[in-house]
Amino acid sequence: MNHSLAGWDDTIVALATAPGIAAIAVIRLSGNNAIAIANELFPSKNLVQQASHTLHVGLLKSSTEVLDEVVISLYKGPRSYTGEDVVEVSCHGSPFIQEKIIQAFIAQGARLAKPGEFTLRAFLNGKMDLTQAEAVADLIASNTEASRKTALQNIRGGFSNELKELREQLIQFSALIELELDFSQEDVEFADRTRLKELITVLQNVIYRLLQSFRLGNVIKNGVQVAIIGKPNAGKSTLLNALLNENRAIVSDIAGTTRDTIEEVLNINGVLFRLIDTAGIRQHTTDVIESIGVARSMEKMHAADVVLYLFDVNDTTNEQLTDTINELDAAGVQYILVGNKTDGLNASTVQQQYAGNEIVFIAARNNTGIDALKTTLLQRSLSGDINTEDTIVTNARHVAALQQLQTTLADVAEGMQHNIPGDLLAIDIRRCLHYLGEITGEITNEDQLDYIFSKFCIGK
Ligand SMILES: Nc1nc2c(ncn2[C@@H]2O[C@H](COP(=O)(O)OP(=O)(O)OP(=O)(O)O)[C@@H](O)[C@H]2O)c(=O)[nH]1
Ligand SMILES: [Mg+2]
């Protein structure tokens, strides 16, 4: 492991709880001098002599004044979050006190931690691998039940455990093949080719499943972008309001009411949907602002994961709808057709009108059909249930490495089909090992670590 990161030996300090007023705030120190530094400010006891995993109540004092009455938790390395000596000071949660205590620790020789530095140290000290460290950031950022569960699963090592064992088996093969190369004159095979082929197939299946899970992972982590698109007056803003169950957007019978896009978040069964109400699309408008709005609607339509295409069943023929479907297909967007304003109409007559097309019928103004529409949205976005027992890839960095791994595995498989010589096989297997190691962090570089941990908050 590369330990050459600057400031690695420093003792670091940061506020671990959210800034602002609270009943209690926690300030965390980590490093070789953490306990000695805390001890300098804690006259009532000698903390250096206390056992790990113990609590100590007392006054915290700088040379001149009492700072606060606090509770100190001691964790001696390696049995701590970072693997180093860690001191957590629970103080009264005034921002003024928090700042004074941090400054007092800095005066004793601690340095303010960089974003994610506690977790970086945990990673460098082997307390967790890279996917687990990344899951810590995901867990802190999680805002739904589903994102919390997947992050927690990954912190426990769900993802990396799947890959670790396969990596170890591959390392064994790689070692045997390299050994063959030492005996190349004698034409021996230490590495059983049939078993290697089996292992490659297993790996290919695992990688395929993990890559497939990313679509779901992305939905869980980032939510689903849903653009509500349609002609002016179709009832798009009414639908937005009905989905949100509040009067968020202005509704009127004047065509062209919505000028700019409006975005709101909706949680359906633990999945976040980012709903975007757009300006109604009509081809020929002389109104400059409206035409800018239309351009923006088109943009949102292309960026969306799912488009709700809304039309008024009272003034849309099946032929017109077919033209729209052709346009949507040509644009390559995922869409759900929604027929609005069915109130006062006979359900089966309306359905016959659009025979052959799959449509969700609603009356947005009366809240009719909204629950069914939500269910359709959920099904379409998840294509199956969220089973958080399964490993779900949520991280774009992992996807990139998995894709490279997939390509390299295909090279190995093809090479073996053609019985390529061991030295060439060894090169491809080494590349596989490289990508596998990149995911879990056995192979990393400083830039990559900087990038990953800079996205954390300070104090984590
Ligand atoms: N009868 C009936 N009228 C509806 C329904 N939904 C919306 N409307 C009416 O249709 C008109 C237009 O509704 P909006 O929600 O403003 O339509 P929009 O698609 O957002 O229109 P723009 O923003 O102009 O593109 C309003 O008078 C609504 O009250 C419905 O389910 N039934
Ligand atoms: Mg509108």
Side-chain angles (χ1 to χ4, degrees):
M1 186 59 61
N2 180 357
H3 278 202
S4 69
L5 291 132
W8 166 250
D9 283 337
D10 299 347
T11 293
I12 52 174
V13 63
L15 184 66
T17 40
I21 297 179
I24 291 168
V26 175
I27 291 159
R28 179 152 62 172
L29 285 156
S30 179
N32 289 337
N33 296 327
I35 298 177
I37 287 173
N39 199 39
E40 287 296 319
L41 304 184
F42 196 74
S44 51
K45 244 186 222 175
N46 187 345
L47 293 175
V48 180
Q49 292 170 351
Q50 306 302 318
S52 183
H53 293 68
T54 52
L55 299 177
H56 309 276
V57 188
L59 295 178
L60 209 62
K61 286 185 179 170
S62 72
S63 50
T64 50
E65 58 181 334
V66 173
L67 298 170
D68 193 9
E69 186 174 24
V70 301
V71 176
I72 286 185
S73 326
L74 285 186
Y75 305 88
K76 294 196 174 167
R79 288 173 59 212
S80 70
Y81 180 71
T82 58
E84 307 172 328
D85 284 350
V86 168
V87 175
E88 286 182 1
V89 179
S90 304
C91 63
H92 291 99
S94 121
F96 180 69
I97 293 176
Q98 294 162 17
E99 192 50 38
K100 282 205 100 152
I101 294 178
I102 290 172
Q103 288 310 327
F105 285 141
I106 289 174
Q108 293 298 330
R111 153 174 82 69
L112 204 58
K114 290 185 257 186
E117 200 171 1
F118 290 93
T119 308
L120 171 64
R121 288 181 177 205
F123 164 68
L124 291 173
N125 287 321
K127 297 296 284 189
M128 56 176 79
D129 71 26
L130 207 50
T131 63
Q132 290 172 303
E134 289 170 311
V136 171
D138 288 344
L139 185 65
I140 293 171
S142 69
N143 50 4
T144 61
E145 190 55 18
S147 58
R148 183 188 68 81
K149 277 191 187 159
T150 29
L152 212 52
Q153 170 84 351
N154 285 338
I155 284 182
R156 295 210 194 103
F159 182 35
S160 38
N161 286 346
E162 290 214 39
L163 297 181
K164 249 182 211 153
E165 205 191 300
L166 293 170
R167 181 167 188 262
E168 262 149 41
Q169 290 183 35
L170 207 53
I171 287 175
Q172 284 176 14
F173 271 110
S174 157
L176 288 175
I177 289 178
E178 311 244 342
L179 196 63
E180 284 173 12
L181 301 182
D182 293 341
F183 292 85
S184 56
Q185 310 299 336
E186 290 150 52
D187 197 21
V188 288
E189 272 191 10
F190 295 119
D192 181 340
R193 297 298 193 267
T194 316
R195 276 197 50 215
L196 180 57
K197 267 186 197 159
E198 282 166 12
L199 179 62
I200 298 297
T201 309
V202 171
L203 260 172
Q204 282 178 313
N205 290 339
V206 172
I207 305 305
Y208 178 78
R209 180 166 50 74
L210 289 172
L211 279 171
Q212 286 297 99
S213 77
F214 181 60
R215 198 177 110 81
L216 181 59
N218 201 32
V219 163
I220 290 172
K221 192 165 155 182
N222 300 322
V224 186
Q225 292 255 15
V226 182
I228 307 175
I229 301 282
K231 297 218 168 79
N233 260 351
K236 300 179 294 300
S237 302
T238 312
L239 174 59
L240 176 81
N241 291 345
L243 285 167
L244 296 172
N245 204 14
E246 65 175 282
N247 278 331
R248 172 65 182 83
I250 300 173
V251 167
S252 89
D253 55 6
I254 303 166
T257 300
T258 307
R259 293 298 184 106
D260 205 347
T261 52
I262 299 175
E263 306 204 10
E264 280 296 330
V265 175
L266 173 70
N267 184 329
I268 308 177
N269 288 5
V271 177
L272 286 191
F273 289 84
R274 299 177 191 283
L275 303 176
I276 307 164
D277 179 23
T278 64
I281 296 175
R282 58 178 156 192
Q283 252 66 37
H284 309 289
T285 171
T286 47
D287 184 326
V288 179
I289 295 177
E290 188 181 344
S291 60
I292 294 173
V294 170
R296 198 163 288 180
S297 302
M298 299 303 281
E299 233 171 71
K300 293 293 177 189
M301 180 176 90
H302 287 286
D305 298 310
V306 183
V307 168
L308 291 183
Y309 184 82
L310 192 69
F311 61 95
D312 181 345
V313 296
N314 299 287
D315 65 8
T316 311
T317 65
N318 204 17
E319 289 67 43
Q320 287 170 327
L321 187 64
T322 308
D323 288 346
T324 306
I325 291 172
N326 290 337
E327 282 173 36
L328 289 168
D329 285 339
V333 293
Q334 273 244 32
Y335 57 88
I336 297 171
L337 298 173
V338 186
N340 190 26
K341 308 196 189 179
T342 56
D343 44 303
L345 299 174
N346 180 301
S348 61
T349 317
V350 180
Q351 275 165 12
Q352 272 166 23
Q353 190 182 338
Y354 301 104
N357 285 315
E358 201 181 312
I359 296 163
V360 181
F361 290 106
I362 63 168
R365 199 162 65 180
N366 305 344
N367 269 316
T368 309
I370 300 301
D371 283 341
L373 180 57
K374 284 184 183 175
T375 308
T376 309
L377 250 183
L378 201 59
Q379 283 169 348
R380 196 63 78 77
S381 317
L382 295 184
S383 53
D385 282 346
I386 304 179
N387 182 355
T388 30
E389 299 297 303
D390 289 347
T391 302
I392 296 169
V393 179
T394 56
N395 187 309
R397 184 183 77 80
H398 301 165
V399 172
L402 286 171
Q403 279 165 342
Q404 283 169 313
L405 183 56
Q406 198 174 38
T407 314
T408 315
L409 281 171
D411 289 347
V412 175
E414 198 190 317
M416 290 185 67
Q417 287 277 321
H418 295 99
N419 288 323
I420 60 163
D423 50 350
L424 295 181
L425 200 56
I427 292 173
D428 283 339
I429 293 181
R430 253 180 263 141
R431 275 171 55 216
C432 288
L433 286 171
H434 176 88
Y435 294 130
L436 270 172
E438 235 181 34
I439 296 172
T440 47
E442 270 105 354
I443 293 164
T444 96
N445 62 55
E446 259 185 61
D447 288 344
Q448 188 189 27
L449 289 183
D450 277 352
Y451 175 73
I452 291 170
F453 287 95
S454 66
K455 290 190 293 187
F456 276 63
C457 49
I458 289 180
K460 191 64 220 179

